[in-house]
Amino acid sequence: MTQPLHLEALVETCRWIGHKGWAPATGGNMSVREDARWCWLSESGRDKGSLTRDDFLQVEIATNTAPSGRRPSAETGLHTLIYRLFPEANAVLHVHTVNATVLSRIETSPLLRLQGYEMQKSLAGQQSHLDTVDIPLFDNDQDIAALAERIAQYAETTPLRYGFLLRGHGLTCWGRDVSEARRHLEGLEFLFECELRLRQLERK
Ligand SMILES: CSC[C@@H](O)[C@@H](O)C(=O)COP(=O)(O)O
Ligand SMILES: [Zn+2]
């Protein structure tokens, strides 16, 4: 079982996430795809800011099983769902940022609509602040299989790009490689902070 080369980039990104404070108290989980059948996921319960290559477990995308017998992330089913839905996705990052957590509770609709921000162009394919970026918002669930099924049903009828929010929980985002997933994470987090501050100011 040879670990994929881009695992090193993921380990480095996890450290960056840790420094940002986006994975507090063991929150968050991260993965990279190996190929159509396998991905590598962070082990459950670890401090995601101080992971090494050895803290990533090979997981079968179709079955969520880890041949090592160790326990991959409790949210493995969301990572493997993304790899099944999007063959072009090769890295998935899930974080518990304060902005994502608070904004996802303030926004009570099933969609967070972003518009008017130059930083929308940090998301692949976005070319203008005049366009609209919709980030789906799903109610949180401790039953990850049920949550994954809800997201899969949503994706059958509505395009799902960049990432989604889990209400009161955090953000899951992805990209064609680790660096694109990281750019999407940083871009979305910036946009969430702007949106949150704007809404706070508009309330007054
Ligand atoms: C700090 S509890 C957070 C967990 O319940 C979960 O949401 C999470 O992101 C981390 O779970 P993990 O199983 O370590 O991948
Ligand atoms: Zn989580």
Side-chain angles (χ1 to χ4, degrees), residues 152-184:
Q153 279 175 15
Y154 174 93
E156 274 177 23
T157 57
T158 321
L160 192 50
R161 295 187 75 188
Y162 315 121
F164 53 77
L165 283 161
L166 298 175
R167 187 164 278 117
H169 181 163
L171 167 70
T172 299
C173 66
W174 55 90
R176 278 172 295 191
D177 51 28
V178 173
S179 80
E180 186 177 86
R182 177 170 165 156
R183 196 184 74 232
H184 287 167

Side-chain angles (χ1 to χ4, degrees), residues 25-29 44-45 48 73-75 94 96 169:
T26 77
N29 33 73
S44 186
K48 311 312 186 307
S73 169
E75 288 153 5
H94 166 68
H96 291 189
H169 181 163

Side-chain angles (χ1 to χ4, degrees), residues 106-199:
I106 286 178
E107 176 60 70
T108 53
S109 85
L111 212 56
L112 177 71
R113 182 150 283 186
L114 300 166
Q115 204 272 331
Y117 298 106
E118 178 69 11
M119 276 292 280
Q120 287 167 215
K121 288 161 63 186
S122 65
L123 306 172
Q126 294 297 322
Q127 292 181 342
S128 171
H129 65 289
L130 297 174
D131 293 333
T132 298
V133 176
D134 286 338
I135 302 298
L137 218 171
F138 300 101
D139 285 336
N140 196 26
D141 199 326
Q142 298 304 321
D143 182 342
I144 296 300
L147 179 55
E149 180 53 32
R150 231 180 326 126
I151 297 170
Q153 279 175 15
Y154 174 93
E156 274 177 23
T157 57
T158 321
L160 192 50
R161 295 187 75 188
Y162 315 121
F164 53 77
L165 283 161
L166 298 175
R167 187 164 278 117
H169 181 163
L171 167 70
T172 299
C173 66
W174 55 90
R176 278 172 295 191
D177 51 28
V178 173
S179 80
E180 186 177 86
R182 177 170 165 156
R183 196 184 74 232
H184 287 167
L185 167 56
E186 194 168 25
L188 286 169
E189 174 56 26
F190 177 92
L191 292 164
F192 294 163
E193 178 153 4
C194 289
E195 189 63 22
L196 190 56
R197 288 197 196 187
L198 206 58
R199 290 184 187 202

